[in-house]
Amino acid sequence: MSNLMSQSTAVIVMNIRSLPRRLWMSLAMVFASAVVVAILLAFLAMAKGFEATMQSAGSDDVAFFMRTGSAAELNSSASREQVNLIENAPGILKDEQGPLVSPELYVIVDGVKKSTQQEANIPLRGLSQRGVDMRNGFTLTAGRMFTPGTDELIVGAGILREFDGFDLGQEIRFGKYTWKVVGVFSTGGNVFESELWADAKVIQNLYNRGSSYQTVRARIGSSDDLTAINEYLESEPRLTHEVQTESAYFATQGKSLEYMAIFGWVISSIMALGALAGALNTMYTSVSDRSMEIATLRAIGFSSLSAFIGTMVEAMTLAVIGSLVGALAAFIFFDGMNASTLGGSFTQVVFSFQLTSELFIQGITLALIIGFVSGFFPAWRAARVPVIVAFQSAR
Amino acid sequence: MSNQNLFELNQVAKRFTKGKETISIFQDLNMQIKDGDFLAIMGPSGSGKTTLLNLLGGVDQPTEGQITFDGQRIDNLSESQLAKWRANNIGFIFQFYNLMPMLNAARNVELPLLLTNLSRSERQKQVKIALELVGLSDRADHMPSEMSGGQQQRVAIARAVVSDPKFLLCDEPTGDLDRQTADEILQTLQLLNEKFGKTIVMVTHDPSAAKFAKQTVHLNKGEFVKAEELSA
Ligand SMILES: Nc1ncnc2c1ncn2[C@@H]1O[C@H](COP(=O)(O)OP(=O)(O)OP(=O)(O)O)[C@@H](O)[C@H]1O
Ligand SMILES: [Mg+2]
C-alpha cells in the first residue's frame, strides 16, 4: 500500500515535471476550464446577488398584506376602509399613536439608466414616517427626509448610482409633476434602495388614487401571529387580502432570477463539453507523449494503477488550476459588479453580483468533473500501455 | 555461483496475431540460461531477439510452452504478478537508455527502490553505491540532457542494478554509442557479471560487443543456429 503511494507519488511528480513539454496544450486545457468556470460563476453570482438583494429587504416581524391573487405590490390595492380593518387585526403591535401599520402606494415612473441611456421603470413608493421606520437599516446618507404634504422625495442609493438626474437638490419631472430630491437613503444594499420614496398622501393626490392605497405593512411580534391574522382575514368579508411575512414575500421575489442560475448551468455545461473535448485531446496527447516513460516504469515493475493515477491527477490538477484561475477572474471582474434588472414588479432592481464560497465550490466541482472525465479515458489508456513499448526503437 | 539453470524455456511458441494474419516468431524453442552466465544473442533484424528478451523479462508472454525462472513458472503469471516479479528479479538496460528526462541521475536510479519498503535514507545509500559502481558519483544531480550517451547508459545500468536483481537484460545496450564508449559500457557489464555474479543476457548486432560475453548464440528466423551456418 505504502508502495503504491510512493509509486504514484513518483509518477505524479514526473507527470507534472513533464508538463513543459506539453505547455501550450496544457495551458489550453487550463484556459478552457477557467473560461467555463468563470462563466458559470458570473451567472450564479448574478442570481445570488439578486436573491440576496431581495431577501435582505424582508423582515420576519413585518406582516405584509396584498390583495389576494396579486403577484406583486404593483397589482395590489387596499381602500381606506380596508386599511382601517387591517389596523384592527389581532397581533399587530401598537404604540401611543396607535397601531404600527404602514399603508403604502407603489407607482411606476421613468428614469434614464446611466449605463445604456435608456428609459427604465423605477418604483415611486408613497409612505409615511411609520413606513420608513419599518425598514431595517434605513439611514439618510445625504440631505433630509421629505416633508409630508410636499412634492419632495428621497432617492435610494441604488437609483442614484444607476440612473441619471437624481442628484441631491435636483428637480425631476414625471409626467405633469415636478419633484424635488431632498435626500438620499440607504437600506444596506437591499431592494428598497432601488426606489424613490415620497409622502403617500401627495401621491394619492397626484395620481388620482382618492384615499386608497396598494399594500399594507404592519409590525407584528413574530411570524406566529400570522395564524390569528389569517383567521381574522377570513372572518372579515370586507377584506380581500392575504398576509405573509415581508421576508416570505421577498424570498419569493428573489427566486425570480433563479432561472439565471439554471441558464448559467446550461450554458457552462455546453461549454464544458467543448472544454472536455479539448481536455481529452490534451490528456491523450499526454499519454502518448509519455508512453515510453510509462512503459519503462512498467518494465521496472511499477503497477499499471500508478500510471492510471498519475494521469488522473495530471488531468484533475490542470482542471482545478483552471477553475481557480476562472474563479479568480470571476471574483475580480464580477464580484460586487453593479447591475440592474427587471424585478417582479416590472421595475428595475439595482443589485450587485455576489460570489459566495458556496458558489466557488460549485465552480470547482464543475472543473473536477471536467478533470475527471477528461482524465479517466486517457488514464485507462495509460494503464494499458504495453510494456514492450519500452523496447521499441522507433521514437 | 552454482551451475544451476536460472532460466529454462520449454517448447516455447510465440505468435503475433494482427487482424486475420498470424506471424509465428518461435516454434518449439528450448533454451537454458545458467546462473552466472553472460550470454550474447545475435542475429539479423526481425529474427526475434527482442521478442525473446521480452519473454525472458516477463514483459510479454509465450503463446505456448513454459518458462521457468529459478524453478518458478512465470509464463502463467498475471500482469500484476509479473510486474512484482520483474521488480524483484530483473534489471533492464535499453538501447535508448529510457531515463526519465525530468529526473536527475540519482532520482532515476532511485526509481526501482520506490517499489521496496526501504526508507528514504536507505534508498539514498543504495543509489550512492550504484552510481559509484558505474563511476558517476559526481553526476548524481545532473539531468539526463546534461549527460553524454555513455553517461546516460551508465545511469541506466545503475538503475538496473540498484535493487540488486539476479538477472540483467540488455537490448542493444551499445547500439547508440561510439566504439570506445561502448567498450566502457561492456566492461561495466562484464564487471557486474564477474564480480557481482549477475546473470546477463544481451542482444546485440555488434560482433565485437558479443566478444565481451561468455558465450554467444545466433538467432535466425526464430531458431538458434551455429555461427558458421549463419554466415553461409
Ligand atoms: N507486438 C508485435 N506485433 C506483431 N508483430 C511483432 C510484434 N513484435 C514483434 N513483431 C514481429 O516479430 C518479428 C521479430 O521482432 P523482434 O523485434 O523480436 O526482432 P529483432 O530480432 O529484435 O529485430 P531488430 O534487430 O530489428 O531489433 C518481427 O517480424 C516483428 O515485426
Ligand atoms: Mg530488437
Side-chain angles (χ1 to χ4, degrees):
Chain A
M1 208 45 219
S2 70
N3 187 318
L4 178 64
M5 277 279 287
S6 58
Q7 282 183 50
S8 303
T9 313
V11 172
I12 290 164
V13 168
M14 283 184 263
N15 283 9
I16 305 282
R17 289 212 199 152
S18 72
L19 277 176
R21 300 203 305 242
R22 308 179 292 280
L23 185 65
W24 292 109
M25 288 202 96
S26 306
L27 282 183
M29 179 168 165
V30 168
F31 181 74
S33 323
V35 169
V36 169
V37 169
I39 284 177
L40 174 68
L41 288 183
F43 279 103
L44 294 185
M46 181 194 283
K48 190 65 167 187
F50 183 82
E51 191 186 352
T53 300
M54 286 302 198
Q55 269 177 2
S56 60
S59 305
D60 276 333
D61 57 2
V62 171
F64 180 68
F65 297 83
M66 279 199 303
R67 196 183 59 202
T68 306
S70 41
E73 291 193 69
L74 188 65
N75 319 108
S76 178
S77 72
S79 66
R80 180 69 246 177
E81 186 197 10
Q82 288 173 322
V83 173
N84 290 340
L85 287 168
I86 288 173
E87 283 178 348
N88 292 328
I92 291 174
L93 304 184
K94 295 184 172 64
D95 65 8
E96 51 279 10
Q97 281 139 34
L100 297 175
V101 169
S102 167
E104 298 179 3
L105 284 146
Y106 189 94
V107 299
I108 287 178
V109 296
D110 281 336
V112 176
K113 268 189 168 181
K114 281 182 178 164
S115 58
T116 59
Q117 289 301 311
Q118 297 205 321
E119 288 204 342
N121 293 340
I122 304 176
L124 169 60
R125 185 181 292 277
L127 38 39
S128 62
Q129 186 60 44
R130 285 246 133 139
V132 173
D133 293 342
M134 258 179 229
R135 267 66 182 193
N136 297 330
F138 171 87
T139 49
L140 273 172
T141 54
R144 57 174 176 82
M145 187 61 193
F146 59 79
T147 313
T150 66
D151 54 2
E152 292 176 351
L153 59 75
I154 56 175
V155 56
I159 296 290
L160 182 64
R161 199 166 61 227
E162 296 289 313
F163 286 84
D164 275 338
F166 289 97
D167 296 307
L168 192 61
Q170 221 159 340
E171 301 216 320
I172 185 131
R173 198 176 173 84
F174 303 130
K176 288 180 283 187
Y177 309 105
T178 306
W179 298 79
K180 188 154 195 261
V181 180
V182 297
V184 180
F185 69 92
S186 159
T187 49
N190 66 37
V191 64
F192 291 128
E193 286 186 11
S194 301
E195 298 180 351
L196 305 168
W197 287 359
D199 184 28
K201 293 260 160 49
V202 176
I203 292 178
Q204 280 177 336
N205 214 345
L206 296 183
Y207 285 82
N208 297 323
R209 298 295 172 98
S211 63
S212 76
Y213 294 88
Q214 276 163 291
T215 56
V216 180
R217 281 173 167 77
R219 182 73 76 186
I220 53 176
S222 79
S223 55
D224 299 341
D225 299 331
L226 287 185
T227 327
I229 297 177
N230 258 320
E231 278 166 17
Y232 175 76
L233 288 178
E234 271 165 39
S235 67
E236 176 49 72
R238 284 169 292 179
L239 282 176
T240 53
H241 291 74
E242 57 189 3
V243 68
Q244 57 190 326
T245 61
E246 192 187 32
S247 50
Y249 170 72
F250 279 119
T252 316
Q253 297 283 308
K255 297 282 178 231
S256 69
L257 271 204
E258 220 170 38
Y259 74 90
M260 270 297 162
I262 296 166
F263 188 66
W265 271 109
V266 171
I267 289 273
S268 54
S269 299
I270 292 169
M271 292 186 60
L273 285 181
L276 197 60
L280 269 172
N281 187 27
T282 301
M283 293 314 300
Y284 273 127
T285 305
S286 163
V287 172
S288 65
D289 177 51
R290 292 183 290 113
S291 59
M292 178 66 112
E293 289 149 33
I294 295 169
T296 302
L297 289 172
R298 299 271 290 112
I300 289 173
F302 278 57
S303 67
S304 51
L305 185 57
S306 67
F308 183 88
I309 292 173
T311 307
M312 278 309 276
V313 170
E314 178 182 335
M316 302 283 254
T317 306
L318 290 176
V320 168
I321 291 174
S323 75
L324 294 178
V325 171
L328 186 70
F331 183 76
I332 291 170
F333 292 115
F334 297 119
D335 188 47
M337 185 170 100
N338 290 313
S340 61
T341 187
L342 229 41
S345 299
F346 306 106
T347 60
Q348 292 290 312
V349 174
V350 178
F351 66 100
S352 39
F353 283 46
Q354 214 177 75
L355 269 178
T356 61
S357 53
E358 171 208 355
L359 299 187
F360 277 124
I361 289 169
Q362 291 188 37
I364 288 166
T365 306
L366 179 64
L368 283 174
I369 293 171
I370 294 175
F372 184 85
V373 178
S374 66
F376 188 84
F377 300 99
W380 191 255
R381 183 179 287 181
R384 302 247 63 86
V385 168
V387 189
I388 50 171
V389 168
F391 296 87
Q392 281 163 4
S393 45
R395 286 199 81 162
Chain B
M1 258 8 58
S2 68
N3 253 7
Q4 266 181 330
N5 286 335
L6 191 59
F7 261 109
E8 276 180 38
L9 275 68
N10 206 343
Q11 297 295 104
V12 165
K14 180 66 190 176
R15 292 186 283 275
F16 291 113
T17 352
K18 237 182 204 159
K20 280 183 187 157
E21 248 179 285
T22 302
I23 322 162
S24 176
I25 311 295
F26 302 119
Q27 190 63 45
D28 302 330
L29 189 74
N30 295 298
M31 181 187 194
Q32 291 89 37
I33 300 170
K34 289 203 165 42
D35 200 355
D37 205 352
F38 185 173
L39 178 68
I41 301 177
M42 297 191 67
S45 196
S47 56
K49 302 183 297 292
T50 299
T51 305
L52 177 59
L53 213 61
N54 289 342
L55 292 176
L56 295 173
V59 159
D60 205 353
Q61 285 180 305
T63 317
E64 283 166 30
Q66 288 128 38
I67 303 178
T68 51
F69 175 84
D70 223 0
Q72 181 205 359
R73 290 263 304 262
I74 62 158
D75 54 89
N76 52 9
L77 295 183
S78 75
E79 178 62 27
S80 64
Q81 286 171 320
L82 270 179
K84 279 206 190 83
W85 176 81
R86 287 195 299 267
N88 291 331
N89 299 290
I90 311 289
F92 288 101
I93 296 160
F94 308 90
Q95 178 175 359
F96 298 102
Y97 332 127
N98 292 21
L99 297 179
M100 304 293 134
M102 70 298 280
L103 301 182
N104 66 23
R107 288 282 181 196
N108 264 291
V109 174
E110 189 188 10
L111 286 171
L113 298 179
L114 297 176
L115 306 173
T116 65
N117 292 322
L118 295 183
S119 72
R120 204 174 139 66
S121 61
E122 285 170 317
R123 293 203 300 262
Q124 282 168 343
K125 213 166 79 192
Q126 300 250 96
V127 167
K128 203 163 165 269
I129 295 171
L131 280 173
E132 256 165 42
L133 188 75
V134 296
L136 281 180
S137 301
D138 53 338
R139 301 286 164 142
D141 51 4
H142 283 220
M143 303 302 279
S145 59
E146 299 163 352
M147 290 185 279
S148 70
Q151 288 169 331
Q152 289 187 56
Q153 193 62 300
R154 285 170 184 285
V155 174
I157 293 173
R159 178 181 66 186
V161 299
V162 72
S163 57
D164 199 24
K166 270 193 174 159
F167 191 60
L168 296 184
L169 281 174
C170 324
D171 196 0
E172 318 235 14
T174 58
D176 214 34
L177 301 173
D178 61 57
R179 180 77 268 141
Q180 198 199 326
T181 314
D183 285 353
E184 284 167 21
I185 293 291
L186 290 160
Q187 279 157 13
T188 306
L189 290 177
Q190 227 170 18
L191 176 87
L192 286 167
N193 173 247
E194 285 167 7
K195 281 257 173 62
F196 295 88
K198 304 289 176 209
T199 307
I200 301 177
V201 170
M202 172 177 76
V203 164
T204 181
H205 272 117
D206 176 6
S208 52
K211 284 193 191 112
F212 286 83
K214 282 180 178 161
Q215 53 171 317
T216 303
V217 294
H218 293 266
L219 205 55
N220 193 21
K221 294 186 182 135
E223 286 177 28
F224 292 115
V225 292
K226 294 209 171 66
E228 310 81 66
E229 291 174 34
L230 196 69
S231 49

